[in-house]
Amino acid sequence: MKHHITHLLSFAAMFACAYTASIFAQEHYPTATVTIQVVGEDGNPLVGFNVGSGFEIPNKNGVGTSAIGAQGVTNKEGRVTITRPTANGFVYYGSWAEGYYRTSNLTYQFKAHKDGQWTPSNPTLRVVLKRVGDPVPMYARKVATEIPAVDQVIGFDLMIGDWVIPHGKGLRGDLLCKVVRRFVNWKDHDVALEITFPNEKDGLAPIIEKTPPTRGSELRLPRTAPEDGYRNKLATAIRRQPGGPSNEDAKTEMNYFFRVRTVLDEKGDIKSALYGKMHGDIRLDPINSKTSFIIFDSYLNPTPNDRNVEWDRSRNLATGLSDEQRPSAP
Amino acid sequence: MGETQIFNFYSSGEEVLDAHPQADDPDVLAIGNGTTPLGNPNPLGRYAWALQEKLKGRTSNDWVLGSHSGGWGFSSAYSTNPNFLMVPSPSQTAAITDAQLRAEPFFRAKTFQTVDLDPALFGNQGTQYAHDNRAMLLARAFPVRTLPIGANAVAALGSQSNFDMNQLFKSGWPQSRRVEGRDDWFHSDMREVAYTYIFKMFDKIVNLGGLNR
């Protein structure tokens, strides 16, 4: 056994020398070839559109990476083929054009290389560009606010962005929040929030978007809120037991459309309602509070019955926001 | 810590601290096949932190990544191939008795028998040696099993004390970094990128610390 391990050692030492030497000779990386295809939301190719890509190499100081950048313009099939060297097989790509939302930070990781080429050779990487439609002014804000009290139902006004009087300046309780808290310390707690709504047919409609917020199209969700699928109650919690990991119900891929201030006619049909969306899930932070912080990104369209939730970033109806309260995604 | 408050400024766009997406259990032979970290012509840069941890105990030296002691290196006593070092399957390892493990730990403090950086660990003064070299042993011989703070939120701090710089503090991004289709906040970008683009991060630090009073 020792004999064989010695062989292995020799092999490993030889290899280590080889790869260490390569650290100081950065010019010989395997090349990667990719075809980036840009399509619209209908799947049709977009011709003459800008494409950018980045192929990673290590920084010369040995920490972090730099990119060998490459740009191109799509052909009649919406394609650009790019070949560049890359040390780790990691490729960034994206596309942009006037009249469309930028799509960026998409990534592809080659897993192997052979004879100086990353494989599989020339995969097609698809970029979907979303057209700027009919964006509207909205009350858009990133909310991170302390729930005023536990064990009480307290309304939050999505238009004013505050708890209702007397806890804040809000006038209408669009979200009715009740937090129940058991908190010993940051290692031992169980805090639950229940959100209900004051009006029949108000509610939240969940929508999953698995692409992380910093990847893909700037326009994260569909432009139009759905007509139905709204749930009148949402329960979420965060908990931890001593010795165990923290566990929260909030999910990074979760988003919501919402309908509030719903007025029904005599038949029970919707006569009037306001629609909006939330980017990301509704999160709790009981650690930095004696109740809990509630955290969510809210976009409210103030025009009754207008389900358009594509926000015009140049027209935010919410005023007096700090940088941290101002959303950037449309 | 008294009144000290802890905040985590991390970046979900980190490349050095990025999660390594490939198999968690590359065997030692896979070092040379081009699909694993050391098969990479230059493993520094992206995944550097994860590779450092995954390769503890699995390299023949302590030069660049990994280490040759402790970590994920396993004892040759449990190799399933009498002629070569081959990791046993989960069912085979489950059959190892406690008595065997007491006599020969599965994860050795050394993987390659001919070189051992810490022989004192197994002598009469082993406990004292471990105590005296705690930090060094943690760094070299104990791989972490969770992802690093610098690229991830820390639940124990609460959401209000975790700040994803990649999402929260970019104010535009240098054109030279955007043309390649990306605008991630990379490792050390608080130093590498001009203040114009990252001033929000400094503002946050100033406000949190009350440094403007």
Side-chain angles (χ1 to χ4, degrees), chain A residues 161-220:
Chain A
D162 202 357
W163 301 101
V164 295
I165 296 170
H167 302 288
K169 296 175 183 170
L171 300 175
R172 296 188 61 163
D174 296 311
L175 309 179
L176 303 180
C177 301
K178 180 181 178 182
V179 66
V180 177
R181 173 183 169 105
R182 184 193 70 79
F183 192 90
V184 179
N185 55 44
W186 62 272
K187 291 185 281 190
D188 184 8
H189 55 264
D190 189 348
V191 178
L193 171 72
E194 184 179 83
I195 296 177
T196 54
F197 296 83
N199 307 303
E200 191 178 344
K201 296 196 176 179
D202 280 359
L204 292 163
I207 175 170
I208 302 286
E209 173 51 65
K210 291 190 174 174
T211 307
T214 54
R215 304 265 179 269
S217 176
E218 291 178 296
L219 185 64
R220 185 166 173 76

Side-chain angles (χ1 to χ4, degrees), chain A residues 111-317:
Chain A
K111 295 288 174 63
H113 57 82
K114 187 179 180 185
D115 300 329
Q117 301 285 328
W118 286 97
T119 58
S121 180
N122 199 13
T124 297
L125 311 178
R126 197 173 159 97
V127 178
V128 177
L129 274 192
K130 297 180 180 178
R131 185 185 286 277
V132 176
D134 180 24
V136 293
M138 300 179 82
Y139 290 89
R141 55 168 60 87
K142 299 167 85 72
V143 176
T145 180
E146 197 165 18
I147 298 172
V150 297
D151 300 327
Q152 293 180 34
V153 176
I154 303 173
F156 186 85
D157 189 323
L158 289 170
M159 193 172 285
I160 292 176
D162 202 357
W163 301 101
V164 295
I165 296 170
H167 302 288
K169 296 175 183 170
L171 300 175
R172 296 188 61 163
D174 296 311
L175 309 179
L176 303 180
C177 301
K178 180 181 178 182
V179 66
V180 177
R181 173 183 169 105
R182 184 193 70 79
F183 192 90
V184 179
N185 55 44
W186 62 272
K187 291 185 281 190
D188 184 8
H189 55 264
D190 189 348
V191 178
L193 171 72
E194 184 179 83
I195 296 177
T196 54
F197 296 83
N199 307 303
E200 191 178 344
K201 296 196 176 179
D202 280 359
L204 292 163
I207 175 170
I208 302 286
E209 173 51 65
K210 291 190 174 174
T211 307
T214 54
R215 304 265 179 269
S217 176
E218 291 178 296
L219 185 64
R220 185 166 173 76
L221 299 180
R223 297 180 181 81
T224 307
E227 282 189 80
D228 47 32
Y230 295 90
R231 302 173 189 171
N232 208 250
K233 183 185 290 186
L234 174 86
T236 187
I238 184 168
R239 59 192 78 79
R240 183 170 192 168
Q241 293 186 330
S246 180
N247 179 284
E248 64 175 339
D249 295 338
K251 300 286 183 288
T252 54
E253 66 270 20
M254 182 60 76
N255 308 268
Y256 300 97
F257 294 110
F258 60 77
R259 180 165 61 206
V260 295
R261 307 191 184 191
T262 306
V263 178
L264 303 180
D265 63 19
E266 60 279 2
K267 295 179 186 171
D269 294 329
I270 293 174
K271 185 176 171 185
S272 172
L274 301 186
Y275 291 86
K277 64 180 176 180
M278 292 181 183
H279 280 174
D281 210 338
I282 297 171
R283 309 190 89 95
L284 297 173
D285 176 3
I287 293 172
N288 294 290
S289 165
K290 290 190 170 141
T291 58
S292 176
F293 276 91
I294 179 173
I295 302 151
F296 57 94
D297 293 0
S298 170
Y299 299 73
L300 172 69
N301 183 343
T303 304
N305 299 330
D306 184 0
R307 292 188 286 115
N308 187 349
V309 289
E310 182 183 353
W311 175 44
D312 180 345
R313 286 180 280 191
S314 66
R315 292 185 290 172
N316 193 348
L317 301 174

Side-chain angles (χ1 to χ4, degrees), chain B residues 134-176:
Chain B
R134 180 174 180 271
M136 182 272 291
L137 289 169
L138 278 173
R140 196 170 69 196
F142 288 80
V144 299
R145 297 180 63 193
T146 54
L147 292 170
I149 287 175
N152 297 278
V154 178
L157 297 178
S159 300
Q160 290 296 91
S161 293
N162 281 288
F163 305 103
D164 181 358
M165 299 183 289
N166 196 37
Q167 281 200 64
L168 299 174
F169 300 139
K170 287 186 297 192
S171 182
W173 211 236
Q175 191 62 25
S176 62

Side-chain angles (χ1 to χ4, degrees), chain A residues 1-2 4-6 8-9 11-13 15-17 19-20 22-23 26 28-30 51-54 56 58-59 61-71 87-88 90 92-94 96 102 104-106 109-113 118 142 144 186 213-215 240 246 248 283-285 287-288 293 295 323-324, chain B residues 5 12-13 15-16 18 21-22 28-29 31-36 38-47 60-61 63-65 76 79 81-85 111-115 155-161 163-164 166-170 178-184 186-188 191-192 199-200 203-204 207:
Chain A
M1 170 58 79
K2 192 166 183 175
H4 291 286
I5 289 178
T6 305
L8 183 59
L9 264 174
F11 162 76
F15 186 85
C17 288
Y19 99 84
T20 303
S22 75
I23 291 168
Q26 299 185 348
H28 299 299
Y29 300 124
V51 166
S53 58
E56 285 195 340
N59 285 334
N61 66 8
V63 178
T65 60
S66 297
I68 299 174
Q71 293 191 31
N88 55 15
F90 195 89
Y92 276 93
Y93 58 100
W96 63 95
R102 187 183 189 93
S104 59
N105 287 335
L106 298 175
Q109 174 69 70
F110 285 96
K111 295 288 174 63
H113 57 82
W118 286 97
K142 299 167 85 72
W186 62 272
T214 54
R215 304 265 179 269
R240 183 170 192 168
S246 180
E248 64 175 339
R283 309 190 89 95
L284 297 173
D285 176 3
I287 293 172
N288 294 290
F293 276 91
I295 302 151
D323 275 350
E324 289 178 28
Chain B
Q5 284 184 272
S12 59
E15 88 282 35
V16 173
D18 196 6
Q22 298 183 25
V28 176
L29 280 181
I31 282 173
N33 70 7
T35 62
T36 53
L38 286 182
N40 207 313
N42 189 337
L44 295 178
R46 183 169 292 277
Y47 311 131
S60 63
N61 58 71
W63 294 347
V64 180
L65 286 177
S76 58
S79 174
N81 188 321
N83 299 315
F84 216 75
L85 201 56
T111 301
F112 296 92
Q113 294 178 341
T114 54
V115 281
L157 297 178
S159 300
Q160 290 296 91
S161 293
F163 305 103
D164 181 358
N166 196 37
Q167 281 200 64
L168 299 174
F169 300 139
K170 287 186 297 192
R178 294 196 67 158
V179 290
E180 291 92 24
R182 69 180 187 186
D183 62 355
D184 275 338
F186 272 16
H187 198 73
S188 299
R191 183 193 66 202
E192 299 293 331
F199 69 91
K200 290 180 184 175
D203 284 355
K204 187 68 181 177
N207 289 332

